[in-house]
């Protein structure tokens, strides 16, 4: 069996790791970090071979320096809204360590007022360290899957009548799912709903659309800017390949994080890119 050792190395005398100066540099660092993580097993050529990945961590970030005065300063370079799913360890899949990312996790990475407030706090009160806001969904999301099943069989919604907290999550997702279903029908015809893997395709299309919509809403609520000082991006972590996927106009593969749309026309283009992406086309045969 292949073995991968992930090592967080704390060295008191090590130089501080370079931190991104703007949103573009922050996104490139996260994309590169994910590529490193995704390729770990590929580096082990022998079935019983071993490899390791070392993530350098500034010992000062965790108060590990003997005689250090005061508490460590919080200085993440990116804020990430992710799903609560335990299979998606956000720092790990981006090759980052403690104090690099400000992470907010909630089922379905839905954007409620508490979540938006947490992201605003990171942007406004961490001395300008946050250069990028990321919304990260993941393949096979349980929250989105439940919402798709309710959409396909509305009778299931009755069982949630008294479960207000669950309904609050599903209700936020149903609008996205309905939009994706219409886009699939427009692109492939109404009969697409009868294809064997339609449900799976609708789930995956809804997952990425939900992430993009949340990133767009964060742009509006937090106030990102065109100058590159702070941007919102989205992506979907694919459990089966360990890669981040984000289809967008002009790119059917969609490897890496993508910038959120800025207007309605951008969402129209994005919807077309999603349903025509290689991943969704493969599911629909």
């Amino acid at each position: 069996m292949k073995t991968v050792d992930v090592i967080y190395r704390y060295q008191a005398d090590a130089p501080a790791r370079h931190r991104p100066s703007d949103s573009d540099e922050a996104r490139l660092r996260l994309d590169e970090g994910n590529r490193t993580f995704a390729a770990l097993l590929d580096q082990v050529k022998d079935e019983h071979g071993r490899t390791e990945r070392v993530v350098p961590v500034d010992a000062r970030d965790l108060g590990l320096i003997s005689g250090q005065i005061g508490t460590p300063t919080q200085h993440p370079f990116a804020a990430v809204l992710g799903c609560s799913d335990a299979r998606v360890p956000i720092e790990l899949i981006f090759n980052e360590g403690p104090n690099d990312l400000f992470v907010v996790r909630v089922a379905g990475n839905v954007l409620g007022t508490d979540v938006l407030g947490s992201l605003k706090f990171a942007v406004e009160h961490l001395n300008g360290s946050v250069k990028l806001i990321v919304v990260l969904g993941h393949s096979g999301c349980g929250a989105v899957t439940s919402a798709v099943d309710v959409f396909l069989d509305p009778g299931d919604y009755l069982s949630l009548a008294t479960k207000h907290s669950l309904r609050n999550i599903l209700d936020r997702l149903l609008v996205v799912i309905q939009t994706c279903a219409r886009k699939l029908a427009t692109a492939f015809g109404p009969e697409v709903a009868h294809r064997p893997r339609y449900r799976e395709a609708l789930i995956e299309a809804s997952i990425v659309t939900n992430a993009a919509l949340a990133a767009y809403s964060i742009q509006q609520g937090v106030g990102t800017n065109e100058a590159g000082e702070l941007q919102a991006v989205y992506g979907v972590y694919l459990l089966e390949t360990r890669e981040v996927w984000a289809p967008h106009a002009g790119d059917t593969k969609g490897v890496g994080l993508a910038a959120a749309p800025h207007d309605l026309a951008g969402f129209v283009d994005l919807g077309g890119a999603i349903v025509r992406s290689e991943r969704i086309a493969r599911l629909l045969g």
Side-chain angles (χ1 to χ4, degrees):
M1 179 178 178
K2 294 182 179 181
T3 301
V4 176
D5 295 324
V6 178
I7 302 169
Y8 287 91
R9 181 168 292 164
Y10 306 87
Q11 292 179 265
D13 57 348
R17 190 178 180 187
H18 172 72
R19 309 192 74 77
S21 60
D22 58 28
S23 61
D24 289 337
E25 191 177 346
R27 180 165 61 170
L28 287 173
R29 173 161 157 175
L30 293 180
D31 282 341
E32 178 59 32
N34 176 246
R35 283 193 293 270
T36 299
F37 174 72
L40 277 176
L41 285 178
D42 297 334
Q43 296 172 12
V44 185
K45 304 304 181 183
D46 185 83
E47 188 59 33
H48 300 286
R50 177 186 295 268
T51 189
E52 69 177 34
R53 182 182 59 132
V54 177
V55 181
V57 177
D58 190 334
R60 290 164 291 193
D61 283 344
L62 294 181
L64 298 178
I65 302 296
S66 178
Q68 182 175 343
I69 300 175
T71 58
T73 300
Q74 186 177 188
H75 52 75
F77 70 86
V80 183
L81 167 57
C83 181
S84 299
D85 195 294
R87 298 168 295 176
V88 188
I90 291 174
E91 286 90 351
L92 189 63
I93 65 176
F94 283 123
N95 199 39
E96 298 297 340
N99 214 354
D100 290 328
L101 304 178
F102 182 96
V103 179
V104 181
R105 300 182 67 159
V106 62
N109 44 274
V110 296
L111 186 63
T113 54
D114 290 345
V115 171
L116 186 58
S118 297
L119 295 173
K120 280 188 173 183
F121 169 82
V123 170
E124 296 174 3
H125 296 281
L126 297 184
N127 299 316
S129 72
V130 175
K131 305 300 182 184
L132 189 72
I133 301 177
V134 180
V135 180
L136 187 70
H138 68 92
S139 61
C141 178
V144 176
T145 297
S146 296
V148 166
D149 287 340
V150 167
F151 173 78
L152 296 176
D153 186 1
D156 289 347
Y157 195 82
L158 294 177
S159 64
L160 301 171
T162 60
K163 301 176 181 178
H164 301 293
S165 57
L166 291 177
R167 282 174 51 194
N168 185 49
I169 294 174
L170 293 181
D171 287 348
R172 294 176 186 273
L173 294 169
L174 283 171
V175 174
V176 170
I177 292 163
Q178 184 178 45
T179 300
C180 288
R182 289 177 176 172
K183 196 69 178 181
L184 286 169
T186 300
F188 299 101
E191 69 280 359
V192 69
H194 302 293
R195 296 193 188 185
R197 301 185 72 183
Y198 170 75
R199 172 178 173 272
E200 190 177 349
L202 180 56
I203 290 170
E204 297 304 305
S206 299
I207 288 169
V208 67
T209 303
N210 178 54
L213 179 59
Y216 169 79
S217 299
I218 289 169
Q219 282 183 159
Q220 308 306 307
V222 173
T224 60
N225 55 69
E226 296 288 345
E229 298 170 4
L230 178 67
Q231 293 291 313
V233 298
Y234 67 94
V236 174
Y237 176 64
L238 303 180
L239 296 172
E240 61 272 27
T241 64
R242 306 175 303 282
E243 296 175 311
V244 171
W245 170 66
H248 50 279
D251 186 354
T252 59
K253 292 183 180 296
V255 178
L257 298 166
H262 288 281
D263 50 32
L264 179 59
F267 268 104
V268 172
D269 292 340
L270 174 62
I274 291 172
V275 298
R276 295 295 184 186
S277 68
E278 292 183 5
R279 180 173 177 79
I280 299 303
R282 187 164 58 248
L283 289 172
L284 292 174

